[in-house]
Amino acid sequence: MSETINKLPDNLRNEILADWYILRARGKAAIIPLIKYLRAMQIDIYVIHDKDENKQGAVVFNEPIRQALNNDGHLAVLENCVEDVLGYPAPSSDKPYRAYCYINQNWNEWKDVNAKWKIVMQHIFNEGNEIK
């Protein structure tokens, strides 16, 4: 997300950097307590996670995450993993680094970002409205 934000038009990038904080949960099991903690602090949150439909240990967290958030408008579940949405095959290791490399090799500015990932970014940061 941080690398994609760098590709946004200046005004929107500056607004996001001033008003948002991206928190990495480091696994689905950690998302639920983070949701509960942040909601208890009355912080308006959005959650993005992979669907992981073929990973039995991970898929079981999808519904509990949705229930804990209790706001489907603030939830983006990626089909099936972030690499599918970004547009390249999922690697077996170094996933964050590979995503960083892919984005920096393929997307120089917002117009280069693929349509699926644009939809996710617009949903989270621009209330679903198209970013131009």
Side-chain angles (χ1 to χ4, degrees):
M1 290 191 81
S2 298
E3 290 306 311
T4 307
I5 290 168
N6 289 333
K7 313 300 184 209
L8 288 168
D10 289 343
N11 62 329
L12 187 54
R13 181 181 60 247
N14 292 339
E15 182 181 322
I16 290 169
L17 293 174
D19 295 343
W20 292 77
Y21 183 79
I22 299 170
L23 179 63
R24 297 178 190 167
R26 301 287 185 201
K28 283 187 170 183
I31 295 173
I32 298 165
L34 280 171
I35 290 170
K36 291 178 180 179
Y37 174 75
L38 294 169
R39 289 191 67 205
M41 301 292 292
Q42 298 182 353
I43 295 173
D44 189 24
I45 61 172
Y46 287 74
V47 174
I48 300 173
H49 68 80
D50 295 346
K51 188 174 185 179
D52 289 324
E53 64 187 354
N54 297 323
K55 295 182 181 176
Q56 188 174 9
V59 75
V60 298
F61 289 103
N62 292 348
E63 183 59 20
I65 290 169
R66 190 186 72 75
Q67 290 176 359
L69 185 60
N70 195 29
N71 185 343
D72 289 351
H74 285 206
L75 179 63
V77 181
L78 306 178
E79 298 283 344
N80 185 45
C81 63
V82 70
E83 291 84 6
D84 291 344
V85 178
L86 293 177
Y88 66 94
S92 58
S93 64
D94 300 325
K95 290 178 76 162
Y97 177 70
R98 301 265 176 109
Y100 169 83
C101 290
Y102 177 83
I103 288 170
N104 282 297
Q105 290 170 359
N106 293 283
W107 301 344
N108 295 314
E109 55 188 304
W110 179 248
K111 70 176 181 63
D112 301 328
V113 176
N114 77 29
K116 288 181 181 179
W117 189 240
K118 277 184 178 180
I119 290 168
V120 173
M121 296 294 288
Q122 290 167 167
H123 172 78
I124 297 299
F125 294 113
N126 207 30
E127 298 177 3
N129 297 312
E130 183 178 358
I131 297 170
K132 296 182 182 202

